[in-house]
CSV table of all heavy atoms in Angstrom, one decimal:
chain,number,residue,atom,x,y,z
A,10,LEU,N,4.2,7.9,-0.5
A,10,LEU,CA,3.3,8.9,-1.1
A,10,LEU,C,3.9,10.3,-1.0
A,10,LEU,O,4.0,11.0,-2.0
A,10,LEU,CB,1.9,8.9,-0.4
A,10,LEU,CG,1.0,10.0,-0.9
A,10,LEU,CD1,0.8,9.9,-2.4
A,10,LEU,CD2,-0.3,9.9,-0.1
A,11,ASP,N,4.4,10.7,0.2
A,11,ASP,CA,5.0,12.0,0.4
A,11,ASP,C,6.2,12.2,-0.5
A,11,ASP,O,6.3,13.3,-1.1
A,11,ASP,CB,5.4,12.3,1.8
A,11,ASP,CG,4.1,12.4,2.7
A,11,ASP,OD1,3.1,12.8,2.2
A,11,ASP,OD2,4.2,12.2,3.9
A,12,GLU,N,7.0,11.2,-0.7
A,12,GLU,CA,8.2,11.3,-1.5
A,12,GLU,C,7.8,11.5,-3.0
A,12,GLU,O,8.4,12.3,-3.7
A,12,GLU,CB,9.1,10.1,-1.4
A,12,GLU,CG,9.8,10.0,0.0
A,12,GLU,CD,10.6,8.8,0.1
A,12,GLU,OE1,11.4,8.5,-0.8
A,12,GLU,OE2,10.5,8.1,1.1
A,13,VAL,N,6.8,10.8,-3.4
A,13,VAL,CA,6.3,10.9,-4.8
A,13,VAL,C,5.7,12.2,-5.1
A,13,VAL,O,5.9,12.8,-6.1
A,13,VAL,CB,5.3,9.7,-5.1
A,13,VAL,CG1,4.7,9.9,-6.5
A,13,VAL,CG2,6.1,8.4,-5.1
A,14,LYS,N,4.9,12.7,-4.1
A,14,LYS,CA,4.2,14.0,-4.3
A,14,LYS,C,5.3,15.1,-4.4
A,14,LYS,O,5.2,16.0,-5.3
A,14,LYS,CB,3.3,14.3,-3.1
A,14,LYS,CG,2.0,13.6,-3.1
A,14,LYS,CD,1.0,14.1,-2.1
A,14,LYS,CE,1.6,14.6,-0.8
A,14,LYS,NZ,0.6,14.9,0.2
A,15,GLU,N,6.3,15.0,-3.6
A,15,GLU,CA,7.4,16.0,-3.6
A,15,GLU,C,8.2,15.9,-4.9
A,15,GLU,O,8.5,16.9,-5.5
A,15,GLU,CB,8.4,15.8,-2.4
A,15,GLU,CG,9.5,16.8,-2.3
A,15,GLU,CD,9.0,18.2,-2.1
A,15,GLU,OE1,7.9,18.5,-1.5
A,15,GLU,OE2,9.7,19.2,-2.6
A,16,ALA,N,8.5,14.7,-5.4
A,16,ALA,CA,9.2,14.5,-6.7
A,16,ALA,C,8.4,15.1,-7.8
A,16,ALA,O,9.0,15.7,-8.7
A,16,ALA,CB,9.5,13.0,-6.9
A,17,LEU,N,7.1,14.9,-7.8
A,17,LEU,CA,6.2,15.4,-8.9
A,17,LEU,C,6.2,16.9,-8.9
A,17,LEU,O,6.3,17.6,-9.9
A,17,LEU,CB,4.8,14.9,-8.8
A,17,LEU,CG,4.7,13.4,-9.2
A,17,LEU,CD1,3.3,12.9,-8.8
A,17,LEU,CD2,4.9,13.2,-10.7
A,18,HIS,N,6.1,17.5,-7.7
A,18,HIS,CA,6.2,19.0,-7.5
A,18,HIS,C,7.5,19.5,-8.0
A,18,HIS,O,7.5,20.5,-8.8
A,18,HIS,CB,5.9,19.3,-6.0
A,18,HIS,CG,6.0,20.8,-5.8
A,18,HIS,ND1,4.9,21.6,-6.2
A,18,HIS,CD2,6.9,21.6,-5.2
A,18,HIS,CE1,5.3,22.9,-5.9
A,18,HIS,NE2,6.4,22.9,-5.3
A,19,GLU,N,8.6,18.9,-7.7
A,19,GLU,CA,9.9,19.4,-8.1
A,19,GLU,C,10.1,19.2,-9.6
A,19,GLU,O,10.8,20.0,-10.3
A,19,GLU,CB,11.0,18.6,-7.4
A,19,GLU,CG,11.2,19.0,-5.9
A,19,GLU,CD,12.2,18.1,-5.2
A,19,GLU,OE1,12.9,17.3,-5.9
A,19,GLU,OE2,12.3,18.3,-4.0
A,20,ALA,N,9.4,18.3,-10.2
A,20,ALA,CA,9.4,18.1,-11.7
A,20,ALA,C,8.5,19.0,-12.4
A,20,ALA,O,8.4,19.0,-13.6
A,20,ALA,CB,9.0,16.6,-12.0
A,21,GLY,N,7.8,19.9,-11.7
A,21,GLY,CA,7.0,20.9,-12.3
A,21,GLY,C,5.6,20.4,-12.6
A,21,GLY,O,4.8,21.1,-13.4
A,22,LEU,N,5.2,19.3,-12.0
A,22,LEU,CA,3.8,18.8,-12.3
A,22,LEU,C,2.9,19.2,-11.1
A,22,LEU,O,3.3,19.2,-10.0
A,22,LEU,CB,3.8,17.3,-12.5
A,22,LEU,CG,4.6,16.9,-13.7
A,22,LEU,CD1,5.5,15.7,-13.5
A,22,LEU,CD2,3.6,16.7,-14.8
A,23,GLN,N,1.7,19.5,-11.4
A,23,GLN,CA,0.7,19.9,-10.4
A,23,GLN,C,-0.6,19.2,-10.6
A,23,GLN,O,-0.9,18.9,-11.8
A,23,GLN,CB,0.6,21.4,-10.3
A,23,GLN,CG,0.1,22.0,-11.6
A,23,GLN,CD,0.1,23.5,-11.5
A,23,GLN,OE1,0.3,24.1,-10.4
A,23,GLN,NE2,-0.2,24.2,-12.6
A,24,GLY,N,-1.3,19.0,-9.6
A,24,GLY,CA,-2.7,18.4,-9.7
A,24,GLY,C,-2.6,16.9,-9.8
A,24,GLY,O,-2.1,16.3,-10.8
A,25,LEU,N,-3.1,16.2,-8.8
A,25,LEU,CA,-3.1,14.8,-8.8
A,25,LEU,C,-4.3,14.3,-7.9
A,25,LEU,O,-4.7,15.1,-7.0
A,25,LEU,CB,-1.8,14.1,-8.4
A,25,LEU,CG,-1.4,14.4,-7.0
A,25,LEU,CD1,-1.1,13.0,-6.3
A,25,LEU,CD2,0.0,15.1,-7.0
A,26,THR,N,-4.7,13.1,-8.1
A,26,THR,CA,-5.7,12.5,-7.2
A,26,THR,C,-5.1,11.3,-6.6
A,26,THR,O,-4.4,10.5,-7.2
A,26,THR,CB,-6.9,12.0,-8.1
A,26,THR,OG1,-7.4,13.2,-8.8
A,26,THR,CG2,-8.0,11.4,-7.3
A,27,VAL,N,-5.3,11.1,-5.3
A,27,VAL,CA,-4.8,10.0,-4.5
A,27,VAL,C,-5.9,9.2,-3.9
A,27,VAL,O,-6.9,9.8,-3.3
A,27,VAL,CB,-3.9,10.5,-3.4
A,27,VAL,CG1,-3.4,9.4,-2.5
A,27,VAL,CG2,-2.7,11.3,-3.9
A,28,THR,N,-5.9,7.9,-4.1
A,28,THR,CA,-6.9,7.0,-3.6
A,28,THR,C,-6.2,5.9,-2.8
A,28,THR,O,-5.2,5.3,-3.3
A,28,THR,CB,-7.7,6.4,-4.7
A,28,THR,OG1,-8.1,7.4,-5.6
A,28,THR,CG2,-8.9,5.6,-4.2
A,29,GLU,N,-6.7,5.6,-1.6
A,29,GLU,CA,-6.3,4.4,-0.9
A,29,GLU,C,-6.9,3.2,-1.5
A,29,GLU,O,-8.2,3.1,-1.6
A,29,GLU,CB,-6.6,4.5,0.6
A,29,GLU,CG,-5.8,5.6,1.3
A,29,GLU,CD,-6.1,5.8,2.8
A,29,GLU,OE1,-6.8,4.8,3.3
A,29,GLU,OE2,-5.7,6.7,3.3
A,30,VAL,N,-6.1,2.2,-1.9
A,30,VAL,CA,-6.7,1.0,-2.5
A,30,VAL,C,-6.0,-0.2,-1.9
A,30,VAL,O,-5.1,-0.1,-1.1
A,30,VAL,CB,-6.4,1.0,-4.0
A,30,VAL,CG1,-7.1,2.1,-4.7
A,30,VAL,CG2,-4.9,1.0,-4.3
A,31,LYS,N,-6.5,-1.4,-2.2
A,31,LYS,CA,-5.9,-2.7,-1.7
A,31,LYS,C,-5.8,-3.6,-2.9
A,31,LYS,O,-6.6,-3.5,-3.9
A,31,LYS,CB,-6.8,-3.4,-0.7
A,31,LYS,CG,-6.9,-2.6,0.6
A,31,LYS,CD,-7.7,-3.4,1.6
A,31,LYS,CE,-7.7,-2.6,2.9
A,31,LYS,NZ,-8.1,-3.4,4.0
A,32,GLY,N,-4.7,-4.4,-2.9
A,32,GLY,CA,-4.5,-5.3,-4.0
A,32,GLY,C,-3.3,-6.1,-3.8
A,32,GLY,O,-2.7,-6.1,-2.8
A,33,PHE,N,-3.0,-6.9,-4.8
A,33,PHE,CA,-1.8,-7.8,-4.8
A,33,PHE,C,-1.3,-8.0,-6.2
A,33,PHE,O,-2.0,-7.9,-7.1
A,33,PHE,CB,-2.0,-9.1,-4.0
A,33,PHE,CG,-2.9,-10.1,-4.8
A,33,PHE,CD1,-2.3,-11.0,-5.7
A,33,PHE,CD2,-4.3,-10.0,-4.6
A,33,PHE,CE1,-3.1,-11.8,-6.4
A,33,PHE,CE2,-5.1,-10.9,-5.3
A,33,PHE,CZ,-4.5,-11.8,-6.2
A,34,GLY,N,0.0,-8.2,-6.3
A,34,GLY,CA,0.7,-8.5,-7.5
A,34,GLY,C,1.4,-9.8,-7.4
A,34,GLY,O,0.9,-10.8,-6.9
A,35,HIS,N,2.7,-9.8,-7.7
A,35,HIS,CA,3.5,-11.0,-7.6
A,35,HIS,C,3.7,-11.5,-6.1
A,35,HIS,O,3.9,-12.7,-5.9
A,35,HIS,CB,4.9,-10.8,-8.2
A,35,HIS,CG,4.9,-10.6,-9.7
A,35,HIS,ND1,4.7,-11.7,-10.5
A,35,HIS,CD2,5.0,-9.6,-10.5
A,35,HIS,CE1,4.7,-11.3,-11.8
A,35,HIS,NE2,4.8,-10.0,-11.8
A,36,GLN,N,3.6,-10.6,-5.2
A,36,GLN,CA,3.8,-11.0,-3.8
A,36,GLN,C,2.7,-11.8,-3.2
A,36,GLN,O,2.8,-12.5,-2.3
A,36,GLN,CB,4.2,-9.8,-2.9
A,36,GLN,CG,2.9,-9.0,-2.5
A,36,GLN,CD,3.0,-7.6,-3.0
A,36,GLN,OE1,3.1,-7.4,-4.2
A,36,GLN,NE2,2.8,-6.6,-2.2
A,37,LYS,N,1.5,-11.6,-3.8
A,37,LYS,CA,0.3,-12.4,-3.4
A,37,LYS,C,0.0,-12.4,-1.9
A,37,LYS,O,-0.5,-13.4,-1.3
A,37,LYS,CB,0.4,-13.9,-3.9
A,37,LYS,CG,0.5,-14.0,-5.4
A,37,LYS,CD,0.6,-15.5,-5.8
A,37,LYS,CE,0.7,-15.6,-7.3
A,37,LYS,NZ,1.9,-15.3,-7.9
A,38,GLY,N,0.3,-11.3,-1.2
A,38,GLY,CA,-0.1,-11.2,0.2
A,38,GLY,C,1.0,-11.8,1.1
A,38,GLY,O,2.0,-12.2,0.6
A,39,HIS,N,0.6,-12.0,2.3
A,39,HIS,CA,1.5,-12.6,3.3
A,39,HIS,C,0.7,-13.2,4.5
A,39,HIS,O,-0.5,-12.9,4.6
A,39,HIS,CB,2.5,-11.6,3.8
A,39,HIS,CG,1.9,-10.4,4.5
A,39,HIS,ND1,1.5,-9.3,3.9
A,39,HIS,CD2,1.7,-10.2,5.8
A,39,HIS,CE1,1.0,-8.4,4.7
A,39,HIS,NE2,1.1,-9.0,5.9
A,40,THR,N,1.3,-13.9,5.3
A,40,THR,CA,0.7,-14.6,6.5
A,40,THR,C,1.1,-13.8,7.7
A,40,THR,O,2.2,-13.4,7.9
A,40,THR,CB,1.2,-16.0,6.6
A,40,THR,OG1,0.9,-16.7,5.4
A,40,THR,CG2,0.5,-16.7,7.7
A,41,GLU,N,0.1,-13.6,8.6
A,41,GLU,CA,0.3,-12.9,9.9
A,41,GLU,C,-0.2,-13.7,11.0
A,41,GLU,O,-1.1,-14.6,10.8
A,41,GLU,CB,-0.4,-11.5,9.9
A,41,GLU,CG,0.3,-10.5,9.0
A,41,GLU,CD,-0.3,-9.1,9.1
A,41,GLU,OE1,-1.1,-8.9,10.0
A,41,GLU,OE2,0.1,-8.2,8.4
A,42,LEU,N,0.3,-13.4,12.2
A,42,LEU,CA,-0.2,-14.1,13.4
A,42,LEU,C,-0.9,-13.2,14.3
A,42,LEU,O,-0.4,-12.1,14.6
A,42,LEU,CB,1.1,-14.7,14.1
A,42,LEU,CG,0.9,-15.7,15.2
A,42,LEU,CD1,0.2,-17.0,14.6
A,42,LEU,CD2,2.2,-16.1,15.8
A,43,TYR,N,-2.2,-13.5,14.7
A,43,TYR,CA,-3.0,-12.6,15.5
A,43,TYR,C,-3.6,-13.5,16.6
A,43,TYR,O,-4.3,-14.4,16.4
A,43,TYR,CB,-4.0,-11.9,14.7
A,43,TYR,CG,-4.9,-11.0,15.5
A,43,TYR,CD1,-4.4,-9.8,16.0
A,43,TYR,CD2,-6.2,-11.4,15.8
A,43,TYR,CE1,-5.2,-9.0,16.8
A,43,TYR,CE2,-7.0,-10.6,16.6
A,43,TYR,CZ,-6.5,-9.4,17.1
A,43,TYR,OH,-7.3,-8.6,17.8
A,44,ARG,N,-3.2,-13.2,17.9
A,44,ARG,CA,-3.7,-13.9,19.0
A,44,ARG,C,-3.5,-15.4,18.9
A,44,ARG,O,-4.4,-16.2,19.2
A,44,ARG,CB,-5.1,-13.5,19.3
A,44,ARG,CG,-5.3,-12.1,19.8
A,44,ARG,CD,-6.7,-11.8,20.2
A,44,ARG,NE,-6.8,-10.5,20.7
A,44,ARG,CZ,-7.9,-10.0,21.3
A,44,ARG,NH1,-8.9,-10.7,21.5
A,44,ARG,NH2,-7.9,-8.7,21.6
A,45,GLY,N,-2.4,-15.8,18.4
A,45,GLY,CA,-2.1,-17.2,18.2
A,45,GLY,C,-2.6,-17.9,17.0
A,45,GLY,O,-2.3,-19.0,16.7
A,46,ALA,N,-3.4,-17.2,16.2
A,46,ALA,CA,-4.0,-17.8,15.0
A,46,ALA,C,-3.3,-17.2,13.8
A,46,ALA,O,-3.1,-15.9,13.8
A,46,ALA,CB,-5.5,-17.5,15.0
A,47,GLU,N,-3.0,-18.0,12.9
A,47,GLU,CA,-2.4,-17.6,11.6
A,47,GLU,C,-3.5,-17.3,10.6
A,47,GLU,O,-4.4,-18.0,10.4
A,47,GLU,CB,-1.4,-18.7,11.1
A,47,GLU,CG,-0.5,-18.2,10.1
A,47,GLU,CD,0.6,-19.3,9.8
A,47,GLU,OE1,1.6,-19.4,10.5
A,47,GLU,OE2,0.3,-20.0,8.8
A,48,TYR,N,-3.3,-16.2,9.9
A,48,TYR,CA,-4.3,-15.9,8.8
A,48,TYR,C,-3.5,-15.2,7.7
A,48,TYR,O,-2.5,-14.7,7.8
A,48,TYR,CB,-5.4,-15.0,9.3
A,48,TYR,CG,-5.0,-13.6,9.7
A,48,TYR,CD1,-5.2,-12.5,8.9
A,48,TYR,CD2,-4.5,-13.4,11.0
A,48,TYR,CE1,-4.9,-11.3,9.3
A,48,TYR,CE2,-4.1,-12.1,11.4
A,48,TYR,CZ,-4.3,-11.0,10.5
A,48,TYR,OH,-4.0,-9.8,10.9
A,49,VAL,N,-4.1,-15.3,6.5
A,49,VAL,CA,-3.5,-14.8,5.3
A,49,VAL,C,-4.1,-13.4,5.0
A,49,VAL,O,-5.3,-13.2,5.0
A,49,VAL,CB,-3.8,-15.7,4.1
A,49,VAL,CG1,-3.3,-15.1,2.8
A,49,VAL,CG2,-3.2,-17.1,4.4
A,50,VAL,N,-3.2,-12.4,4.7
A,50,VAL,CA,-3.6,-11.1,4.3
A,50,VAL,C,-3.3,-11.1,2.8
A,50,VAL,O,-2.1,-11.0,2.4
A,50,VAL,CB,-2.8,-10.0,5.0
A,50,VAL,CG1,-3.1,-8.6,4.5
A,50,VAL,CG2,-3.0,-10.1,6.5
A,51,ASP,N,-4.3,-11.3,2.0
A,51,ASP,CA,-4.1,-11.4,0.5
A,51,ASP,C,-4.3,-10.1,-0.2
A,51,ASP,O,-4.0,-10.0,-1.4
A,51,ASP,CB,-4.8,-12.5,-0.1
A,51,ASP,CG,-6.3,-12.4,0.1
A,51,ASP,OD1,-6.8,-11.5,0.9
A,51,ASP,OD2,-7.1,-13.3,-0.4
A,52,LEU,N,-4.9,-9.1,0.4
A,52,LEU,CA,-5.0,-7.8,-0.2
A,52,LEU,C,-4.3,-6.8,0.6
A,52,LEU,O,-4.6,-6.5,1.7
A,52,LEU,CB,-6.5,-7.4,-0.3
A,52,LEU,CG,-7.4,-8.2,-1.2
A,52,LEU,CD1,-8.8,-7.8,-1.1
A,52,LEU,CD2,-6.9,-8.1,-2.7
A,53,LEU,N,-3.2,-6.3,0.0
A,53,LEU,CA,-2.3,-5.4,0.7
A,53,LEU,C,-2.7,-3.9,0.5
A,53,LEU,O,-3.1,-3.6,-0.6
A,53,LEU,CB,-0.8,-5.6,0.3
A,53,LEU,CG,-0.3,-7.1,0.5
A,53,LEU,CD1,1.0,-7.3,-0.1
A,53,LEU,CD2,-0.3,-7.4,2.0
A,54,PRO,N,-2.5,-3.1,1.5
A,54,PRO,CA,-2.8,-1.6,1.3
A,54,PRO,C,-1.8,-1.0,0.3
A,54,PRO,O,-0.6,-1.2,0.4
A,54,PRO,CB,-2.7,-1.0,2.7
A,54,PRO,CG,-1.9,-2.0,3.5
A,54,PRO,CD,-2.0,-3.3,2.9
């Protein structure tokens, strides 16, 4: 995010809205291990 904001500023663009979202595309999430239990994180920040 910070790199993109800086690049837009350097390109002469101003004014933007930023939203934290969750989703997935081709990667379809991933598997994590928590306290010995495996679970799927299918919506990535």
